[in-house]
């Protein structure tokens, strides 16, 4: 698969992989023969001409002594791409540890068998049903059709969305169509070479992502399906290709939920506050699939039509203008900043390629670009605060007690706890992932620091960048009507709740195994102090009972009230470290300065500690 882009990170990854291949210990002749035999058997059974040719080319090169080809064969054929709570996500290519038509077909057969097993267990009278969506990545449309054919061949009532669309639309469709499950073909904001297979459940799960132990049960069925030749899996074309009805319903229900929460002008009941304000918005789809649905929701809510970043407007699985199609990554918003400067925009709205995440940027005099992006924690605080105000207003209108919960993942800022306490709402911290956030009882709002926001749980039971962006645009428009900015609102939050400063240290590593190995070294040699503060409490969430399910997360609460969370990424070869500090002394500016100073000291200390562990590992 070709990769294109502006920067060097992709070249660096390729170089790292090449050096890693050269450093690997050469396989014995018996090991090499076994690898070559496995690859040849795969190629003979492969249903796709492209990956079949790829496997045979690797076999030929490896047989001729090409060390890089041997390494690639080992990587692609040495096991199977693991199915977990996030479904599948991996590199496109040949082999059972890659994303390809064979793996997708086997996964679909296994998932279909699981759905039949569950239907029989519940004594359901009707066949299980599934809706399938897909994004604009390379291979997504083909994988979606394979999924539909295999599901239909297994007797599942199968519905395929008519075109590439956002992940939130598939999550919505599960509930809207009242089906047993949903499949979304996407790798979200991963690099261009990746794709994935994401699973939702209907019925009592209401369109939430799967959670343990469902993933284990599905994985067992996939293993059984993979034992048979892929060409023998039953396929049928009896699935239904849906029309525009699901998208129309999503726009209607999302818009209604957003409009219901808009504050009204005190002098004009029924007219939304700020609706007569001229707000200029720039939007980027990041080469993804969010643009059309987002604009429809904005206009349906009476929000301004956004000016698009035209170079990134249409779906393109090569992501030619960005090194990483993720609004969090440095440089990803450069074209949006340029478009915003030309338009003198008041706000930048950015979605990731499948539009389940949202980034927001606003004019800021201290930035060379003219704009500053809010962190996920800052936007989570503001949207959560807005949701809390909405919950209280609705309770007063109905003359009932305030009920509901605000939730965030354990690696997100604890600022939401202060908001919940101020408004009499429950508060929950969950393990990372919206499979946990979405299941919090009486959820009003949930978020994760990685730009994920669940704004309206009654509409979509997953993170949704489109509904979140509509709510955010309305919020900024209301502030503008009052002569204020989003930065003023953050200062107001600091005055009311104290200032929470958050940061992140991300170490890119050669593999996900390397990230897990570094986390294991932290366990063996834990820090005793960080940022000049003693570690007052250490918790390892792999210890049984420390979390709802064991998780590879380490938490260190420091004596000065700061917090450090360390975990390997579940989808990328990274070790992620989340830092939080707090100050409630003085005015907003003083609180911010104190918390930011503490954050800087903490980050330097954490980097030095991890670099020391890496140096020890390299010298061992």
């Amino acid at each position: 698969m070709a990769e294109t882009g502006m920067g060097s990170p992709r070249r660096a990854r390729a170089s790292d992989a090449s050096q890693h291949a050269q450093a690997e210990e050469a396989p014995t002749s018996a090991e090499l023969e076994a690898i070559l035999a496995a690859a040849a058997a795969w190629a003979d059974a492969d249903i796709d001409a492209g990956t079949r040719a790829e496997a045979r080319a690797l076999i030929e090169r490896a047989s001729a002594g090409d060390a890089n080809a041997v390494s690639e064969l080992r990587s692609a054929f040495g096991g199977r791409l693991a199915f977990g709570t996030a479904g599948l996500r991996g590199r496109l290519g040949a082999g059972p540890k890659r994303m390809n038509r064979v793996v997708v077909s086997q996964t679909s057969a296994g998932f279909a068998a699981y759905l039949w097993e569950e239907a029989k267990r519940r004594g359901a009278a009707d066949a299980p049903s599934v809706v399938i969506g897909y994004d604009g990545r390379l291979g997504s449309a083909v994988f979606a059709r394979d999924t539909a054919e295999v599901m239909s061949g297994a007797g599942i009532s199968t519905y395929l969305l008519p075109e590439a669309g956002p992940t939130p639309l598939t999550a919505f469709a599960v509930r809207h169509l009242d089906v047993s499950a949903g499949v979304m073909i996407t790798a979200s904001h991963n690099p261009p070479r990746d794709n994935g297979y994401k699973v939702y459940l209907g019925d009592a799960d209401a369109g939430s992502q799967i959670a343990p132990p469902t993933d284990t049960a599905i994985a067992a069925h996939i293993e059984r399906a993979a034992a048979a030749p892929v060409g023998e899996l039953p396929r049928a074309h009896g699935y239904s290709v849906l029309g525009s009805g699901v998208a129309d319903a999503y726009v209607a229900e999302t818009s209604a939920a957003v409009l219901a929460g808009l504050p009204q002008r005190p002098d004009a009941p029924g007219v939304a506050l700020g609706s007569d304000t001229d707000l200029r918005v720039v939007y980027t789809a990041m080469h993804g699939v969010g643009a059309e649905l987002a604009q429809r929701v904005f206009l349906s809510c009476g929000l301004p039509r956004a000016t698009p970043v035209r170079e990134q407007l249409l779906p393109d699985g090569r992501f030619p203008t960005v090194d990483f199609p993720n609004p969090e990554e440095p440089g990803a918003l450069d074209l949006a900043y340029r478009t915003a400067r030309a338009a003198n925009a008041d706000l930048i709205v950015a979605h990731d390629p499948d539009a389940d995440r949202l980034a927001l940027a606003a004019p800021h005099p201290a930035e060379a670009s003219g704009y500053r992006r809010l962190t996920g924690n800052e936007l989570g605080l503001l949207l959560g605060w807005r949701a809390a105000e909405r919950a209280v207003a609705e309770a007063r209108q109905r003359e009932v007690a305030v009920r509901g919960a605000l939730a965030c993942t354990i690696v997100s800022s604890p600022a939401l706890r202060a908001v919940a306490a101020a408004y009499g709402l429950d508060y929950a911290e969950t393990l990372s992932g919206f499979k946990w956030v979405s299941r919090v009882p009486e959820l009003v709002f949930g978020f994760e620091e990685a730009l994920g926001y669940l704004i309206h749980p009654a509409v979509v039971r997953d993170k949704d960048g489109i509904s979140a962006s509509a709510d955010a645009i309305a919020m900024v428009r209301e502030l503008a009507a009052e002569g204020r900015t989003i930065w003023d609102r953050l200062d107001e939050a600091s005055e009311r709740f104290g200032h929470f400063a958050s940061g992140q240290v991300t170490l890119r590593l050669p593999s996900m195994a390397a990230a897990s190995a570094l986390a294991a070294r932290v366990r063996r040699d834990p820090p005793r102090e960080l940022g000049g503060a003693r570690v007052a409490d250490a918790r390892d969430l792999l210890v049984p009972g420390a979390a709802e399910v064991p998780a590879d997360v380490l938490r260190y609460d420091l004596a000065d009230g700061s917090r450090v969370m360390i975990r390997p990424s579940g989808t990328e070869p990274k070790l992620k470290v989340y830092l939080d500090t707090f100050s409630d002394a003085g005015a907003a500016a003083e609180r911010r300065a104190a918390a930011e100073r503490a954050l800087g000291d903490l980050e330097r200390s954490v980097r030095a500690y991890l670099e020391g562990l890496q140096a020890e590992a390299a010298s061992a």
Side-chain angles (χ1 to χ4, degrees):
M1 182 185 71
E3 293 183 359
T4 61
M6 299 188 300
S8 59
R10 291 182 198 170
R11 294 193 293 272
R13 285 201 303 274
S15 174
D16 290 345
S18 176
Q19 292 172 8
H20 180 66
Q22 294 170 8
E24 277 186 349
E25 184 179 343
T28 65
S29 58
E31 289 171 336
L32 180 56
E33 285 300 320
I35 294 169
L36 291 172
W42 174 280
D44 289 342
D46 198 343
I47 58 175
D48 185 83
T51 48
R52 182 166 61 245
E54 177 188 330
R56 287 176 173 161
L58 282 171
I59 292 168
E60 183 177 349
R61 288 170 48 207
S63 299
D66 185 327
N68 285 333
V70 171
S71 177
E72 177 63 19
L73 282 175
R74 272 179 153 177
S75 177
F77 291 88
R80 184 171 186 83
L81 195 61
F83 184 92
T85 54
L88 298 175
R89 195 176 292 188
R91 209 175 97 191
L92 291 165
K97 289 196 75 174
R98 299 286 185 258
M99 281 295 296
N100 50 64
R101 294 183 64 197
V102 174
V103 166
V104 166
S105 297
Q106 292 167 338
T107 300
S108 299
F111 189 31
Y114 168 83
L115 293 176
W116 271 115
E117 180 180 75
E118 283 298 293
K120 291 173 182 175
R121 183 183 63 81
R122 295 196 310 268
D126 299 325
S129 51
V130 65
V131 62
I132 302 161
Y134 59 99
D135 66 8
R137 282 182 173 267
L138 301 178
S140 287
V142 174
F143 292 162
R145 287 194 295 272
D146 279 325
T147 302
E149 290 176 8
V150 173
M151 287 283 185
S152 182
I156 306 292
S157 298
T158 303
Y159 306 93
L160 179 64
L161 289 174
E163 59 189 359
T167 291
L169 182 63
T170 301
F172 168 82
V174 174
R175 178 184 282 178
H176 177 69
L177 298 174
D178 192 24
V179 292
S180 309
V183 173
M184 179 66 190
I185 306 296
T186 181
S188 192
H189 57 281
N190 272 38
R193 64 183 183 179
D194 291 355
N195 213 324
Y197 189 106
K198 191 173 187 178
V199 171
Y200 296 91
L201 290 179
D203 303 320
D205 291 275
S208 290
Q209 296 179 43
I210 60 170
T214 300
D215 57 328
T216 303
I218 296 172
H221 282 288
I222 294 170
E223 288 291 336
R224 286 190 284 273
V230 67
E232 295 181 7
L233 294 176
R235 288 175 178 260
H237 295 275
Y239 58 88
S240 300
V241 178
L242 299 169
S244 63
V246 173
D248 294 344
Y250 171 87
V251 171
E253 292 191 32
T254 299
S255 302
V258 172
L259 288 168
L262 296 185
Q264 308 298 300
R265 277 176 47 180
D267 61 331
V271 178
L273 181 65
S275 56
D276 56 351
T277 301
D278 181 20
L279 191 75
R280 295 177 295 275
V281 179
V282 160
Y283 170 80
T284 176
M286 203 70 65
H287 297 294
V289 292
E292 181 181 358
L293 211 58
Q295 290 280 29
R296 288 183 63 188
V297 169
F298 298 163
L299 295 179
S300 182
C301 291
L303 299 171
R305 177 181 290 277
T307 300
V309 177
R310 297 202 175 276
E311 300 92 331
Q312 299 174 335
L313 180 63
L314 299 178
D316 187 339
R318 300 168 302 156
F319 306 109
T321 68
V322 290
D323 288 316
F324 298 93
N326 179 354
E328 289 183 295
E329 293 286 347
L333 294 180
D334 285 353
L335 286 176
Y337 292 153
R338 187 183 72 184
T339 304
R341 288 193 297 270
N344 194 26
D346 304 297
L347 186 68
I348 295 170
V349 171
H351 288 147
D352 67 340
D354 68 328
D356 65 348
R357 287 173 169 83
L358 164 68
L360 221 63
H364 199 288
E367 300 295 326
S369 68
Y371 292 83
R372 175 176 290 179
R373 180 179 68 80
L374 279 74
T375 68
N377 282 323
E378 287 173 332
L379 186 51
L381 166 62
L382 294 182
L383 293 178
W385 185 8
R386 183 177 177 83
E389 290 180 330
R390 186 164 58 235
V392 169
E394 289 173 356
R396 286 175 179 164
Q397 185 177 22
R398 295 166 53 203
E399 297 183 338
V400 297
V402 178
R403 295 185 63 179
L406 304 181
C408 62
T409 60
I410 55 175
V411 296
S412 301
S413 168
L416 203 60
R417 180 194 297 273
V419 176
Y423 285 84
L425 295 167
D426 293 332
Y427 171 75
E429 288 183 357
T430 75
L431 293 175
S432 293
F434 272 80
K435 57 184 170 287
W436 303 114
V437 174
S438 67
R439 287 179 165 83
V440 170
E442 298 188 314
L443 182 68
V444 170
F445 168 83
F447 91 99
E448 65 180 1
E449 50 72 40
L451 307 184
Y453 312 96
L454 200 169
I455 300 287
H456 298 293
V459 180
V460 176
R461 206 77 181 179
D462 195 17
K463 57 183 176 290
D464 181 355
I466 295 174
S467 62
S469 56
D471 216 44
I473 293 170
M475 174 181 66
V476 173
R477 188 178 66 177
E478 292 156 18
L479 290 167
E482 299 169 354
R484 300 199 298 155
T485 69
I486 203 165
W487 312 116
D488 296 327
R489 183 66 165 169
L490 282 169
D491 281 347
E492 184 183 353
S494 297
E495 293 278 4
R496 181 159 183 182
F497 308 115
H499 190 86
F500 294 81
S502 300
Q504 189 177 134
V505 174
T506 300
L507 298 183
R508 294 187 181 276
L509 296 161
S511 66
M512 292 175 69
S516 295
L518 183 54
R521 291 192 68 87
V522 175
R523 281 187 175 83
R524 292 194 298 270
D525 186 12
R528 290 171 175 77
E529 73 168 28
L530 290 168
R534 176 179 55 85
V535 174
D537 184 40
R539 281 180 252 175
D540 182 353
L541 272 60
L542 274 180
V543 174
E548 188 169 357
V549 297
D552 195 356
V553 179
L554 294 160
R555 173 173 178 159
Y556 300 100
D557 290 287
L558 310 183
D560 65 353
S562 301
R563 187 184 73 175
V564 176
M565 308 282 285
I566 302 175
R567 73 172 181 94
S569 169
T571 57
E572 300 172 271
K574 299 176 180 178
L575 186 76
K576 293 188 173 184
V577 185
Y578 305 84
L579 313 174
D580 292 286
T581 58
F582 173 76
S583 175
D584 59 357
E590 295 170 292
R591 295 177 178 193
R592 181 169 56 250
E596 294 291 346
R597 278 196 305 272
L599 186 66
D601 292 342
L602 187 57
E603 179 178 341
R604 285 187 289 274
S605 177
V606 166
R607 287 188 182 277
Y609 164 69
L610 292 175
E611 287 167 3
L613 290 184
Q614 288 181 293
E616 289 175 12
S619 63

